[in-house]
Amino acid sequence: MSQTFVVVGAGLAAAHAITGLREAGFDGRIVLYGEEHHLPYERPPLSKGYLLGDDELDSAFVHPPEWYDQNDVDLRLGTPVTALDTAKHRVQAGDLGEDYDRLLLATGARPRRMAMADDSGAPVAYLRTIEDSQRLKAEFSSGRRVAIVGGGWIGLEVASAARRAGAEVTVLEALDQPLLRVLGPQVAKTFAELHREHGVDLRTGVRIESIERAGERATVSLAGGDTVEADLVVVGVGVSPNDGLATKAGLDVDNGILVDARLTTSDPDVFAAGDVANAEHPTLGHRIRVEHWETAIEHGKHVARTMLGEDAAYDRMPYFFTDQYDLGMEYVGSLGPEGPDGVDEVVIRGDLGGDRVFTAFWVKDGRVLAGMHANDWDAGDALRALAGRKVDVGRLRDVGVPLADLTG
């Protein structure tokens, strides 16, 4: 009899999983549940091309509507799954249910809420969905004042888009530098300088005491007595995995749904991929949950093969990119639980200031844990080749040695 594969979540990982299933010849039923009413789409354009006004919204969708009909995918959009019974192999969506042979949980993540902001009655926004991005795009214009809480990737990309639209921008970051826990002080300083050069009022080491409504605007009060007036407060303080369904079903969960290197959960007929999956990584030697675009795509492709019986580990190194003003960056690898504090050395090749063309490598025990480049587009292949590998650190430091010579 034909099998039924159910996919819960209609994001990037889900879309690439069902694509992989059909491309591999799976001819059984595929049922896709999504909370949003939109077809599966990519999220990077929401804080990059679409928010900047460079790309049309249609470019964010993984497939056109007819693809799902042509590939016999039963779309159930705007239909959140409310319960999962692994013993009965059944998902429940309100009063309706569906039996499955194999199940993929690709439920993604949600923005961490800031109760102080949410309870204020002031104009507050987050960025996760198409509607969120459309709201920000409409709000960003010349003369508007925008306060951004959080100096992580999303916060800085939103700041870049708002400044490009002519808005006055203040970024409020609790740490001494934006991206400090990701990049460490040397490289994080570059992003701080970049935003200040483009007119952002970047305030680091600040503590927010209150957010209050002031007419149609917001007043953000900081420890020490300073206040920031804004037409809109954008909160970007990270995301949390949507693992509640798995938790209620009794699957192993810890900062996401725990999966092995094949992306299989504690139940052999249930799989997880994308932002929600906390996966064993054979190369890194530790678990990792990645919230970035490429991992969602590659997880989706890999988990499709796993669901069809292939026994292979997902060992691709994490990848991330960002574009802010005139700086384009790619990052490959993972620093692990200790972050920048756990490395022996950060090797910089190039100029952190000026035109900001450089590469950086985070090294521990002679191994490159992660590498990134800024505006050095010839370095991308070398980053992928070096991440996770032992290197001659002396030669890595020597800018006279081409990176390509270190990858053999």
Side-chain angles (χ1 to χ4, degrees):
M1 293 179 64
S2 177
Q3 290 185 307
T4 296
F5 285 7
V6 170
V7 179
V8 180
L12 196 55
H16 283 274
I18 62 177
T19 302
L21 289 171
R22 288 303 189 219
E23 289 180 348
F26 177 68
D27 61 1
R29 292 183 66 230
I30 297 178
V31 182
L32 177 68
Y33 288 92
E35 288 194 7
E36 296 184 55
H37 291 273
H38 302 290
L39 294 171
Y41 61 89
E42 301 184 2
R43 296 193 188 273
L46 304 188
S47 63
K48 297 180 174 71
Y50 177 66
L51 185 58
L52 288 165
D54 294 336
D55 299 327
E56 296 297 325
L57 182 58
D58 284 351
S59 66
F61 292 99
V62 180
H63 296 301
E66 60 269 19
W67 184 91
Y68 298 92
D69 291 332
Q70 293 165 357
N71 287 273
D72 196 22
V73 177
D74 183 354
L75 286 176
R76 302 184 183 179
L77 303 177
T79 308
V81 171
T82 53
L84 163 61
D85 188 329
T86 57
K88 295 182 178 178
H89 279 58
R90 185 172 178 82
V91 297
Q92 198 72 26
D95 295 333
L96 303 176
E98 184 72 50
D99 294 332
Y100 66 84
D101 293 286
R102 294 201 163 178
L103 171 70
L104 171 61
L105 298 175
T107 46
R110 63 192 181 279
R112 292 194 184 111
R113 308 297 298 191
M114 186 178 186
M116 182 190 301
D118 294 346
D119 296 341
S120 67
V124 172
Y126 296 82
L127 178 55
R128 185 67 181 175
T129 67
I130 286 175
E131 288 78 12
D132 294 336
S133 186
Q134 289 171 330
R135 178 186 177 188
L136 295 186
K137 192 174 181 180
E139 291 271 6
F140 294 167
S141 61
S142 180
R144 297 282 285 175
R145 299 179 66 89
V146 179
I148 299 170
V149 180
W153 295 119
I154 289 295
L156 296 187
E157 288 182 355
V158 169
S160 175
R163 283 298 298 142
R164 180 167 163 177
E168 298 178 35
V169 177
T170 301
V171 173
L172 304 171
E173 169 55 50
L175 300 178
D176 292 335
Q177 296 282 4
L179 303 171
L180 186 62
R181 289 177 179 157
V182 181
L183 302 176
Q186 284 175 279
V187 182
K189 182 180 177 183
T190 298
F191 284 87
E193 292 172 346
L194 173 71
H195 280 268
R196 286 180 173 133
E197 287 173 10
H198 283 83
V200 173
D201 179 8
L202 173 61
R203 305 190 192 187
T204 58
V206 301
R207 180 168 61 84
I208 298 174
E209 289 196 332
S210 68
I211 298 175
E212 298 176 336
R213 185 183 182 96
E216 297 301 314
R217 307 179 77 210
T219 298
V220 183
S221 299
L222 309 178
D226 287 347
T227 61
V228 176
E229 304 295 326
D231 297 296
L232 180 68
V233 177
V234 182
V235 179
V237 291
V239 299
S240 300
N242 288 322
D243 54 17
L245 186 64
T247 300
K248 292 177 183 177
L251 298 173
D252 291 346
V253 172
D254 182 10
N255 181 31
I257 303 171
L258 297 182
V259 294
D260 63 16
R262 299 170 57 250
L263 306 182
T264 307
T265 72
S266 51
D267 184 298
D269 290 327
V270 181
F271 309 82
D275 293 10
V276 77
N278 189 347
E280 295 175 0
H281 196 289
T283 303
L284 295 173
H286 59 78
R287 286 190 171 277
I288 185 169
R289 189 177 66 79
V290 181
E291 299 165 357
H292 298 312
W293 168 82
E294 187 188 72
T295 296
I297 292 173
E298 298 300 329
H299 263 196
K301 294 176 181 177
H302 189 92
V303 79
R305 297 191 294 270
T306 301
M307 293 173 77
L308 294 173
E310 184 175 307
D311 185 15
Y314 181 87
D315 59 2
R316 191 176 180 89
M317 297 295 278
Y319 165 90
F320 174 71
F321 75 99
T322 189
D323 295 302
Q324 299 173 31
Y325 311 110
D326 54 355
L327 185 147
M329 184 276 280
E330 292 181 297
Y331 179 104
V332 183
S334 171
L335 301 186
E338 296 180 74
D341 293 337
V343 305
D344 299 327
E345 180 181 359
V346 183
V347 177
I348 307 293
R349 296 164 60 110
D351 185 8
L352 291 177
D355 58 5
R356 296 190 178 90
V357 179
F358 66 90
T359 54
F361 298 90
W362 287 260
V363 181
K364 181 175 184 179
D365 298 330
R367 185 182 301 277
V368 174
L369 299 184
M372 68 165 277
H373 80 77
N375 296 330
D376 184 1
W377 300 103
D378 292 332
D381 290 342
L383 295 184
R384 289 193 182 275
L386 290 171
R389 287 183 50 180
K390 286 273 192 179
V391 296
D392 182 328
V393 180
R395 297 185 75 212
L396 184 64
R397 296 191 196 104
D398 185 352
V399 296
V401 178
L403 288 178
D405 291 356
L406 300 170
T407 62

